[in-house]
Amino acid sequence: PHLKMAPVANGNGDRHASLRVSWLPEGLAKHSSTLVVLALATMYIANSSALISYNKYLIHNDRFPFAVSLGFLHAVFCSVLAYILYCIRPALFPSLSEPSQRVSLNSSLLFRGAMPVALLFSVQLAFSNSAFLHCSVAFLQMMKEANLAIVYTMSLVACLESFKPRNASILVGVVLATMMTIHGEVHFSFIGFSMQGFSQLFECTKIVLQAMMLTGPSGKSLDPATYVLLVMPLCALFLGLALCSSAWWASQGHSMVPTLEVVYKWWPHLLLNSFLAFSLNVVVATFMKYSSAIAFVLAGIVKDAVIVLSGFVFLKEALTAVQLMGFTIQLACITLYTFLKLHPKLFEDGLLVGLAAILSNGLPSGQDGKSTSTAPLAAKKLEYGAVMDNNKSSEGNSSTESPTESDVESSNHDPEAPTPVEGVEESEAIIGGHNKKLP
């Protein structure tokens, strides 16, 4: 298809690029933006699910059980390709190329922001990859849903989030549902559970730290592509040092470093797996640029369901009725939290009243008259239910404006709104497919 970039004004007078498919019939041309968003959402869900399943396949005692080494390969591969992409298309890195969005990459940003985040990222990646050796994809994915509650709790402790009983009650539901999924696990491994738990603690700490530190001196945040270009080489450095040091203390027959024979045997898989990790970065960045808050969040919820389903169907992982019920409650609570964060005015008279309004009338239109579910949006992905629109608070409160991709007030950081890869996790892309959705 012949794709054209057309500027579209939003309610704040800003202009964003919107994709138009020029050769479509007139009836479909009106919905070309929606079709593009749906295509990007499908690519995002498929790429993320494929990468996580591929990681699980590779990180096996009979294949490539070197979790840290795989994370190191992802970090190196993403760093190199991101640099090549920057040389070819610097416009994809607005934090480095656009004067209005340029962030000064000084020593303060590097040592106080990027390096601590990269260190936490590396430890998170080592633990989360290692958990694949002991637990199923479905079980680990269900555990990750609790990240929303962990980030909220840490944000309260750091005085970056105000306590709201209604929000907290929904997150308690997420925690209880997560306990159901853990209790229902047939092949429970305490080692794998502990590794995943530590991984989530490091990840959530990284998320809160990003919200506080990973911005430029002017208060401008890094775009997703620049984030990858800055953080991933540091992750490769930390993981490389860990691999080098392992040669000194590794137990006999259990080194974190594969032999050349093993690398040669599995190099086609390692190359394809690393390419999937990088392509997910590109898809996430593009999807975030052209999708809206609701579209991005709902795609993440569908992605989680697909990941659990793929583990059950393709990897033959066991799921119990208790786990399925707990996972359903998790997704329902997260969806409710999403709507509550993005459209708080609908829920002023209660949760049931807000849900009834959404089910009967749909989501309210934005200031430009377009539904918020499809309007182009330069947004950051948050931990489900916190995506920042330009000059709008993710909670709809004018007294606490949320930062945007190009204009972030450093004194008003939303703790659930750090620079994205979630994505990874997120966000998940730059942590090698661990879709811990980065708020």
Side-chain angles (χ1 to χ4, degrees):
H2 180 48
L3 301 179
K4 291 183 178 180
M5 300 291 291
V8 177
N10 65 15
N12 299 314
D14 301 323
R15 294 171 73 80
H16 298 293
S18 176
L19 286 173
R20 305 295 188 200
V21 185
S22 61
W23 54 262
L24 285 174
E26 185 177 352
L28 292 178
K30 296 185 297 183
H31 306 289
S32 60
S33 294
T34 302
L35 294 176
V36 170
V37 170
L38 288 175
L40 289 172
T42 303
M43 292 170 62
Y44 166 56
I45 294 169
N47 197 326
S48 180
S49 304
L51 182 56
I52 291 176
S53 298
Y54 206 168
N55 284 349
K56 174 63 177 176
Y57 170 79
L58 279 177
I59 303 176
H60 188 278
N61 288 322
D62 296 330
R63 300 184 187 99
F64 195 83
F66 305 99
V68 178
S69 297
L70 184 62
F72 173 73
L73 290 175
H74 284 175
V76 172
F77 194 83
C78 288
S79 300
V80 172
L81 288 192
Y83 179 74
I84 294 174
L85 195 60
Y86 174 67
C87 294
I88 298 174
R89 289 289 303 275
L92 297 176
F93 301 78
S95 295
L96 298 178
S97 59
E98 295 291 336
S100 61
Q101 303 182 42
R102 184 171 297 161
V103 173
S104 178
L105 302 181
N106 53 27
S107 58
S108 176
L109 179 63
L110 179 63
F111 292 106
R112 293 186 56 213
M115 290 193 70
V117 166
L119 178 60
L120 291 169
F121 221 151
S122 302
V123 178
Q124 169 208 334
L125 178 56
F127 276 118
S128 57
N129 270 348
S130 299
F132 278 137
L133 289 168
H134 306 277
C135 298
S136 67
V137 168
F139 176 70
L140 295 178
Q141 184 61 40
M142 292 174 185
M143 281 190 65
K144 290 173 186 177
E145 302 301 325
N147 274 13
L148 178 58
I150 299 174
V151 170
Y152 182 77
T153 303
M154 288 185 173
S155 300
L156 290 176
V157 173
C159 298
L160 296 173
E161 175 72 65
S162 59
F163 179 78
K164 297 180 180 179
R166 187 166 54 185
N167 291 9
S169 63
I170 297 175
L171 297 181
V172 168
V174 174
V175 173
L176 294 177
T178 303
M179 293 173 64
M180 290 178 61
T181 63
I182 295 172
H183 179 74
E185 175 64 12
V186 176
H187 306 293
F188 180 80
S189 167
F190 182 77
I191 295 177
F193 170 78
S194 301
M195 287 182 171
Q196 182 60 31
F198 279 119
S199 169
Q200 290 177 228
L201 288 177
F202 279 103
E203 179 177 3
C204 294
T205 304
K206 176 199 67 181
I207 288 168
V208 176
L209 183 65
Q210 284 176 166
M212 296 188 296
M213 303 180 107
L214 202 52
T215 55
S218 61
K220 296 176 181 177
S221 64
L222 300 176
D223 64 87
T226 303
Y227 181 92
V228 173
L229 188 61
L230 177 63
V231 173
M232 290 313 292
L234 295 174
C235 288
L237 174 64
F238 289 129
L239 291 171
L241 291 175
L243 291 175
C244 292
S245 63
S246 70
W248 297 92
W249 55 264
S251 58
Q252 185 176 1
H254 189 69
S255 172
M256 292 192 299
V257 182
T259 62
L260 291 178
E261 181 182 358
V262 173
V263 173
Y264 180 77
K265 178 181 179 181
W266 290 98
W267 76 263
H269 289 277
L270 297 176
L271 183 63
L272 179 58
N273 184 262
S274 298
F275 182 78
L276 273 177
F278 179 75
S279 65
L280 184 56
N281 279 293
V282 177
V283 171
V284 166
T286 307
F287 187 29
M288 287 172 64
K289 183 175 182 180
Y290 294 110
S291 72
S292 69
I294 290 294
F296 198 88
V297 168
L298 293 183
I301 294 174
V302 173
K303 170 181 63 65
D304 291 347
V306 170
I307 290 171
V308 172
L309 210 61
S310 64
F312 175 73
V313 174
F314 299 108
L315 301 178
K316 308 301 181 183
E317 296 175 345
L319 289 176
T320 64
V322 174
Q323 283 184 302
L324 291 175
M325 183 181 299
F327 185 59
T328 302
I329 296 173
Q330 282 180 323
L331 297 186
C333 289
I334 289 170
T335 304
L336 178 60
Y337 187 81
T338 296
F339 293 143
L340 181 61
K341 293 282 286 184
L342 292 173
H343 301 287
K345 292 184 178 180
L346 293 178
F347 296 88
E348 288 179 348
D349 296 326
L351 295 178
L352 294 179
V353 174
L355 286 176
I358 291 176
L359 292 175
S360 59
N361 303 321
L363 293 171
S365 297
Q367 294 179 5
D368 58 355
K370 296 182 180 180
S371 170
T372 56
S373 63
T374 57
L377 171 67
K380 288 187 194 175
K381 185 183 176 192
L382 312 180
E383 186 59 55
Y384 276 160
V387 180
M388 295 170 313
D389 200 346
N390 289 347
N391 302 320
K392 295 179 184 177
S393 169
S394 61
E395 300 216 16
N397 188 341
S398 60
S399 63
T400 55
E401 289 192 354
S402 295
T404 65
E405 284 290 326
S406 60
D407 186 15
V408 180
E409 293 298 332
S410 58
S411 61
N412 291 331
H413 281 305
D414 184 337
E416 295 182 32
T419 305
V421 203
E422 197 337 337
V424 22
E425 194 344 212
E426 150 163 69
S427 328
E428 57 214 12
I430 65 171
I431 55 175
H434 291 280
N435 62 320
K436 166 37 272 73
K437 302 161 265 298
L438 290 187

